[in-house]
Amino acid sequence: MQDLLPAATGLRARFDRIRQATVDFAAPLSPEDCQAQSMTEASPVKWHLAHTTWFFETFVLGRPKGPLAFLFNSYYESLGGHADRARRGLLTRPSLREVLEYRRRIDEEVVAKVLNAETSDETIGRVELGLQHEQQHQELILTDVKHLFSLNPLHPSYAPAPASDGAAVAARDGWVDHPGGLVEIGSGGPGFAFDNERPRHRRHLEPFRLARRPVSAGDFLEFVEDGGYRRPELWLSDGWEAVRREGWQAPLYWDREGGDWQLFTLSGRRTLHLREPVCHVSYYEADAFARWAGARLPGEDEWEVVAEGSPVEGNFAESRRFHPSAAVDPGTARPIQLFGDVWEWTRSPYAAYPGYRPPSGAVGEYNAKFMVNQIVLRGGSCATPQTHARATYRNFFPPYARWLFAGLRLAADRDEGR
Amino acid sequence: MQDLLPAATGLRARFDRIRQATVDFAAPLSPEDCQAQSMTEASPVKWHLAHTTWFFETFVLGRPKGPLAFLFNSYYESLGGHADRARRGLLTRPSLREVLEYRRRIDEEVVAKVLNAETSDETIGRVELGLQHEQQHQELILTDVKHLFSLNPLHPSYAPAPASDGAAVAARDGWVDHPGGLVEIGSGGPGFAFDNERPRHRRHLEPFRLARRPVSAGDFLEFVEDGGYRRPELWLSDGWEAVRREGWQAPLYWDREGGDWQLFTLSGRRTLHLREPVCHVSYYEADAFARWAGARLPGEDEWEVVAEGSPVEGNFAESRRFHPSAAVDPGTARPIQLFGDVWEWTRSPYAAYPGYRPPSGAVGEYNAKFMVNQIVLRGGSCATPQTHARATYRNFFPPYARWLFAGLRLAADRDEGR
Amino acid sequence: MQDLLPAATGLRARFDRIRQATVDFAAPLSPEDCQAQSMTEASPVKWHLAHTTWFFETFVLGRPKGPLAFLFNSYYESLGGHADRARRGLLTRPSLREVLEYRRRIDEEVVAKVLNAETSDETIGRVELGLQHEQQHQELILTDVKHLFSLNPLHPSYAPAPASDGAAVAARDGWVDHPGGLVEIGSGGPGFAFDNERPRHRRHLEPFRLARRPVSAGDFLEFVEDGGYRRPELWLSDGWEAVRREGWQAPLYWDREGGDWQLFTLSGRRTLHLREPVCHVSYYEADAFARWAGARLPGEDEWEVVAEGSPVEGNFAESRRFHPSAAVDPGTARPIQLFGDVWEWTRSPYAAYPGYRPPSGAVGEYNAKFMVNQIVLRGGSCATPQTHARATYRNFFPPYARWLFAGLRLAADRDEGR
Amino acid sequence: MQDLLPAATGLRARFDRIRQATVDFAAPLSPEDCQAQSMTEASPVKWHLAHTTWFFETFVLGRPKGPLAFLFNSYYESLGGHADRARRGLLTRPSLREVLEYRRRIDEEVVAKVLNAETSDETIGRVELGLQHEQQHQELILTDVKHLFSLNPLHPSYAPAPASDGAAVAARDGWVDHPGGLVEIGSGGPGFAFDNERPRHRRHLEPFRLARRPVSAGDFLEFVEDGGYRRPELWLSDGWEAVRREGWQAPLYWDREGGDWQLFTLSGRRTLHLREPVCHVSYYEADAFARWAGARLPGEDEWEVVAEGSPVEGNFAESRRFHPSAAVDPGTARPIQLFGDVWEWTRSPYAAYPGYRPPSGAVGEYNAKFMVNQIVLRGGSCATPQTHARATYRNFFPPYARWLFAGLRLAADRDEGR
């Protein structure tokens, strides 16, 4: 137990900081803003605030049947039922004020019963899982609020516009080469990693190259103006069906007004900046762009072997820009913006690593049951907390999803680079 | 103009009273409650508060293009676009506070520019229309909040439970006979009536009888227990399809817990009271019940000729019971509960009266364009303002609608009475 | 029994003739043509051939549980189940040949056991009902085949093109006036009438006028070219929603090729003829046209009192034109083309007449359970057998239906005629 | 060119044989059977007969714009439009007879202009592709007819029931071990392979084991009886949603009658045989079964390295059993029934091999554009032509598809075998 004290002490500080950060992300929002659910895939901010608390109540305090459990369980089938996901926006009671009170109550209890008490390793692990989970929902708050606000003809703003990117110089284009061969990916270390990042294992890669920077809005605009959204030969069959069914003509949050492209951001609506990474494209659009560009998307293994060892630095939620920034050239040949700015679609379907076993019990539902019909994204975005990002991190979304902060970086076989 | 002063003065008092009543109906609700939209057919309370104000701004002040017009226009196509009806719950801005401020601003302007000024007859007519419209939305606020709260597993309560109906004695069953013949229905007088109540005109009726009281929850429970929801021969074809598609097994807001029937009301969930009128049935259910009972629904003309001349008294929104009351026998042979308690489904499709002409301009869209696929209801409910009810009033809803406060009263041809 | 012989003898001849006519209507079609079902509302020709036979087997021979009953029952819930209506086109067995053999077998049995035997009045009545039912399905065969062929890019032809209408002279425009007052409608006589045409009863009508001829394709083209399909103020709310959801821009089977309007007919695709009655419009389109024209649709009672007494003559299925013909002016002031050519939408929702009682037993489902969400049409079309038409006949379809041979005739209040 | 003669001569014989086989597969079917389309994913047999012919007309004869091209193009966007896939069953013209005549005409032309003439290697390659494509559609004919017949309450039979499996002895259960390591998969040889089987490339595998035989109906019945379809913890999230939405309770074509399980086969309906491989399960069901069994599905790479070198023998379409057979133990430790009987779901999402490039031109659409949202199956089924199967062959279907002849074989990590 002595050994745990320092860890637990550090954990206490992180617990306070991370739990408070969630409340801070909700601070610019009214009770009404926190109530609305803009689509089934998104959740009300109030629900995020409550669900993350329910997670601690259930998995750390061991009370999976509290009076609010039915309301704020997300998808854990083994915990006995949850409210209809599409109707989270209809739960007007408890109120935002009551949910914030619920947070305080559970936080005090976690501190008193767990963080300031003798605690098993397993429980400490559950607190850590709860904090990682909390950070995921911090990003979802920003992601979902952006979608909600985008549907309001008044174009509300969540945060002041960030200082201009004007000083940025263009990133040198170009590729980073990798020789392929037998490599290792996945998390093998003692630090926190989700179950789906494990076990560390070997893969054989062919030689490849990875673009030095993400695709920019200006790059993507060329695709749009070259008729990219009207040329079926550039698209996967399911992607082309989505284009036609949904009427896609540009990335989400772009709209043309007269000759100008406008963009909706968390700081309201403004002109499109060509030098910033393109954001809010689906996998289908990322894939079609890559085909149009004569390249392809990277495998998640390719992405990871390049990113491994790079410092996890960049434009994260802590910058409070809440929007990807134009690339700044560091003057070296290293790839830039691997972390932060935009999640990068890979070409890898989300699947279990060889030897993967989900944890037993309800937490086994955290990741494993989603391993079909989803695509892996890597690197983190301007809405991700910096301490939540790492080279082995596997985010995943269905290929049609556009409302997350997602862009792309090109890859190529070694003999096909431009 | 002199003549108008008294009317306008009375109008001023009614304007103040009715506009305030809407705010009062919203008073028990939080900003969150006022934000949510439980289904496409329902609207958020905040929207009702804003839309009724937009109505005055547009039709009385003559400013159809104010900055909020796009948000709070309901369905007036000739006024240039309106926000998607299914997404009213996503308009988190303006806030409830701002909408209430918008109400105050427009009210002051209406008083200053119209009610305290020289005003044309047409404008006075528009104010009157605005007040009648306001009262319709008062009932919708109660109707929509009930639906919203019913979906919350916490069963919230809007108002304290009314005093018990315990002292009520059973209404004498029985029928009121009418000889038929050439009659007149519709509004012909100088008092306010919607365009769809005019012109007064002649109809020929066969002899008929009308039940002395509405069908009670106890009556309806017999139908349920006799397998009413499992016997296709009792139903219209479209009704039977609705039963199967929606899984109806009882009226809306009824649910069986063990052997007991529970009811959700605006005062929360409680045991079903058998003596109160059945409420929240669709036209399909009302029609099936009548067939099962060996009777039929009345025509709207039959209902009106019986109701004409009766005092407009009963259990209206002013009672603040917000639920139909068990019948109290007045000791006479007159029909009871014609007004208030529950809207009564007739068998009359909603159609124009002979000689009907919609008003010109955008107000012509108020009623006329809905004259298909709807059924007429008569009499008003426990959620209707008393001053809004009259014998000629025609409410209308699609035959599958259940969330309004609707029940039924039986009728029969003279030779078929039970 | 002696009395029945002449009637039964005449019935035998009609039975032979009408049953054979159904087979004749199918003669130009291949087994493939008879198999396909173009939409849920339409049925395969093979199914029509079998279902009409099942009707005799069930209701005349009294064998409701034959081996094919489940397949060829349409909607009689009291007869124990029926195959999914949307999947009738998937019943490839029994084959067309087998269904025709089934027809012959049942026909022989009906003749031997009923028509050539001692038979009760009730059974004779069932044979008559079966023949009237058969004639309804003859029209449906033509209606459904037209829809099926219209979806084939090869534009198949069912019948040779009729001789040109070139010699026709324009019908005099104008109105036929009626003074209104107390009238009688419905069938009161001894001849066959469906239950829904009874009882004959009194109505009070206001003075009105009825157009001398149906609206022509040329009339309707003016509406199209005047932006009729782009002006919401002309439409019922549900109609406007249909226009937008379905992308309607003209009547069904019209398409514009370059500057020319083409029409798909049962004799293939050809140029639109302006002088023939417009056909294949929904109630919504008929209603919008009437509003645009400053008129309205007639009530079914208005239509009937004008048509009563007129000879049932015109362009029926027997002409084998299978398309409405341009009006020929008879040189009198009488209305023309009341019968045949196109069914005429009225403004009357389909409802029970006062005193109506459905027959007992399964035949009670024939008409009664459809008395909601449908609109009455009158007069018969170029696809109706002539002996099936009469002034009291009530056809009915949902307001969005377009694939039947339906047009319209204008009406007006007496003080508003053009 | 001399060199090609022998190949071309052999090709001529294969061309005749394979093209004739398609017609033979349709021989037991009526024109009605060949017309119907049971769901969007299935096609009418007549369409298969025509589309495979169109393929030769387009890609071998170089006439992509023939008069039937619009009707019988499947999904080649670069060839200018195709009829709505969901409506193939409505194309009653051309008739089956005309389609068979179209086949003969194109066959003669291919023989005269290509097979009996001087021909480029590329054209020979296109003929080969056309034959492989033809064989795929032979299997689809059987697959789609089975689905169509299963919906007919008469339970039609396509072929006589095969001789009983009674003599079969139980296959020894057990596993085949593989050490893993650096392996090669994919087609590298000169023989025909689809583009998606290339290039041959290296992979690194962990040690694993593969079940000696496919999962049997008896095995699967244990899962059913253990509540497999009612236990969410066994399912992928999307799979569980499918279970609830579709009401799955057992594999497709199973139904319980009293206490007995019945099975619909291409020889009609009969009792379930426990010893034959389970068939007509989706990926979701295969995955849930494997989890229940404490095992997993194999990777496609694992399957291929075990199958490579095994003779391509088994129960294929040529056996005319059209149903998987109970295992016969060969008395060795080798895996059995790898080829034929049932396609085996792997856990591999369908994706491009490293270095994959689609062919240029319209044939590039053959496989590449489907590389998302699909899962790979291996081995071939009782409906696959034997000459069409090979160890490197990659079949693919969406994870919810059940109507193909698909079962599964278990795999396990080396340390977890049962």
Side-chain angles (χ1 to χ4, degrees), chain C residues 32-33 90 92-93 96 152, chain D residues 32-33 92-93 96 152:
Chain C
E32 291 95 329
D33 293 336
L90 305 186
T92 61
R93 315 279 178 100
L96 175 59
N152 191 321
Chain D
E32 289 94 329
D33 294 335
T92 60
R93 315 279 177 100
L96 176 59
N152 190 322

Side-chain angles (χ1 to χ4, degrees), chain D residues 3-287:
Chain D
D3 317 7
L4 281 176
L5 274 180
T9 307
L11 193 58
R12 167 68 200 276
R14 290 187 57 234
F15 180 83
D16 290 349
R17 200 164 54 240
I18 291 174
R19 289 285 287 166
Q20 181 58 40
T22 312
V23 175
D24 293 346
F25 279 119
L29 302 171
S30 69
E32 289 94 329
D33 294 335
C34 293
Q35 180 60 44
Q37 178 179 28
S38 62
M39 59 175 171
T40 300
E41 293 85 349
S43 295
V45 172
K46 189 176 77 179
W47 190 90
H48 287 299
L49 291 165
H51 165 69
T52 48
T53 305
W54 166 86
F55 194 94
F56 282 99
E57 186 175 20
T58 299
F59 291 112
V60 173
L61 298 179
R63 288 202 311 262
K65 306 283 186 196
L68 302 178
F70 182 80
L71 300 184
F72 299 127
N73 176 4
S74 49
Y75 55 67
Y76 294 85
E77 302 278 356
S78 48
L79 295 175
H82 44 84
D84 182 353
R85 189 181 173 194
R87 290 180 162 182
R88 288 174 181 166
L90 305 187
L91 302 172
T92 60
R93 315 279 177 100
S95 67
L96 176 59
R97 201 182 47 69
E98 288 165 331
V99 163
L100 292 172
E101 176 51 36
Y102 170 52
R103 287 185 69 90
R104 277 188 290 272
R105 208 165 60 242
I106 296 298
D107 282 357
E108 284 171 17
E109 213 176 332
V110 168
V111 169
K113 296 191 180 160
V114 176
L115 297 178
N116 285 350
E118 237 175 89
T119 307
S120 71
D121 280 10
E122 190 192 347
T123 303
I124 292 293
R126 294 293 182 87
V127 173
E128 183 59 48
L129 184 64
L131 293 178
Q132 298 280 343
H133 174 257
E134 186 93 14
Q135 291 184 307
Q136 292 182 312
H137 282 274
Q138 288 167 4
E139 175 153 7
L140 289 174
I141 284 173
L142 296 167
T143 306
D144 292 354
V145 161
K146 184 169 181 178
H147 187 256
L148 173 67
F149 278 10
S150 78
L151 298 173
N152 190 322
L154 303 179
H155 308 307
S157 169
Y158 168 82
S164 161
D165 289 341
V169 296
R172 272 186 304 175
D173 286 353
W175 303 91
V176 181
D177 284 357
H178 191 283
L182 209 55
V183 302
E184 287 200 347
I185 68 161
S187 175
F192 179 84
F194 282 113
D195 55 1
N196 63 14
E197 301 170 52
R198 302 182 186 270
R200 190 162 177 85
H201 62 283
R202 276 171 291 181
R203 299 238 178 150
H204 184 271
L205 300 181
E206 301 299 322
F208 69 94
R209 43 186 45 172
L210 192 69
R212 209 169 149 260
R213 62 165 176 82
V215 168
S216 70
D219 298 336
F220 207 89
L221 183 56
E222 286 182 48
F223 169 77
V224 172
E225 292 179 342
D226 194 35
Y229 284 86
R230 295 189 305 272
R231 293 168 52 185
E233 72 273 19
L234 297 173
W235 295 78
L236 289 164
S237 182
D238 287 358
W240 183 242
E241 195 186 314
V243 166
R244 286 190 302 179
R245 188 182 59 238
E246 307 292 335
W248 291 347
Q249 303 191 330
L252 183 63
Y253 304 142
W254 290 31
D255 71 290
R256 200 186 325 231
E257 193 177 85
D260 275 358
W261 284 97
Q262 297 291 311
L263 186 69
F264 182 75
T265 75
L266 275 172
S267 307
R269 192 154 164 270
R270 61 150 167 85
T271 315
L272 183 69
H273 297 172
L274 299 184
R275 298 257 294 283
E276 64 194 24
V278 68
C279 194
H280 298 296
V281 291
S282 63
Y283 171 75
Y284 294 134
E285 289 159 293
D287 169 85

Side-chain angles (χ1 to χ4, degrees), chain A residues 11-41:
Chain A
L11 193 59
R12 166 71 200 274
R14 289 188 57 234
F15 180 83
D16 290 350
R17 200 164 56 240
I18 290 176
R19 290 284 289 166
Q20 181 59 41
T22 311
V23 175
D24 293 346
F25 279 121
L29 302 171
S30 69
E32 291 95 329
D33 294 335
C34 292
Q35 180 60 45
Q37 178 179 28
S38 63
M39 59 175 172
T40 300
E41 293 86 349

Side-chain angles (χ1 to χ4, degrees), chain A residues 333-356:
Chain A
R334 290 290 305 155
I336 58 176
Q337 296 182 297
L338 278 167
F339 296 104
D341 288 304
V342 289
W343 287 101
E344 302 182 11
W345 285 108
T346 71
R347 66 169 177 183
S348 300
Y350 178 49
Y353 282 169
Y356 168 74

Side-chain angles (χ1 to χ4, degrees), chain A residues 121-364:
Chain A
D121 280 9
E122 191 193 346
T123 304
I124 292 292
R126 293 297 182 86
V127 173
E128 182 59 48
L129 183 64
L131 293 178
Q132 297 281 340
H133 174 257
E134 186 94 13
Q135 290 184 308
Q136 292 183 312
H137 281 274
Q138 289 167 3
E139 174 151 9
L140 289 174
I141 285 173
L142 296 167
T143 306
D144 292 353
V145 161
K146 184 169 181 180
H147 188 257
L148 173 67
F149 279 10
S150 77
L151 298 173
N152 190 322
L154 302 179
H155 308 307
S157 169
Y158 168 83
S164 162
D165 290 338
V169 295
R172 271 185 306 173
D173 287 353
W175 303 90
V176 180
D177 285 356
H178 191 282
L182 208 56
V183 302
E184 286 199 348
I185 68 162
S187 174
F192 179 84
F194 282 114
D195 55 2
N196 64 13
E197 301 171 52
R198 302 182 186 269
R200 191 162 176 85
H201 62 284
R202 274 170 295 179
R203 299 237 178 151
H204 184 271
L205 300 181
E206 301 298 321
F208 69 95
R209 43 185 47 172
L210 192 69
R212 210 168 149 260
R213 63 165 176 81
V215 168
S216 70
D219 298 336
F220 206 90
L221 184 56
E222 286 183 48
F223 169 77
V224 172
E225 291 179 341
D226 194 35
Y229 284 86
R230 296 188 305 272
R231 293 168 54 185
E233 72 274 17
L234 297 173
W235 295 78
L236 289 164
S237 182
D238 286 359
W240 183 242
E241 195 185 315
V243 167
R244 286 189 301 180
R245 188 182 60 239
E246 306 293 334
W248 291 348
Q249 303 191 331
L252 182 64
Y253 304 140
W254 290 31
D255 70 292
R256 201 188 323 235
E257 192 175 88
D260 275 358
W261 283 98
Q262 297 292 311
L263 187 69
F264 182 76
T265 75
L266 275 172
S267 308
R269 194 156 162 268
R270 62 146 166 89
T271 316
L272 183 70
H273 297 173
L274 298 185
R275 299 258 294 283
E276 65 194 24
V278 68
C279 194
H280 297 296
V281 292
S282 64
Y283 171 75
Y284 295 135
E285 289 159 293
D287 169 85
F289 176 87
R291 191 168 293 111
W292 171 82
R296 60 169 174 84
L297 295 175
E300 64 167 322
D301 40 20
E302 294 172 335
W303 193 96
E304 184 171 328
V305 296
V306 171
E308 200 173 32
S310 291
V312 180
E313 296 168 354
N315 173 20
F316 288 101
E318 286 80 356
S319 77
R320 305 197 72 77
R321 301 180 66 85
F322 303 129
H323 199 74
S325 298
V328 181
D329 192 331
T332 79
R334 290 290 305 155
I336 58 176
Q337 296 182 297
L338 278 167
F339 296 104
D341 288 304
V342 289
W343 287 101
E344 302 182 11
W345 285 108
T346 71
R347 66 169 177 183
S348 300
Y350 178 49
Y353 282 169
Y356 168 74
R357 301 277 171 78
S360 61
V363 289

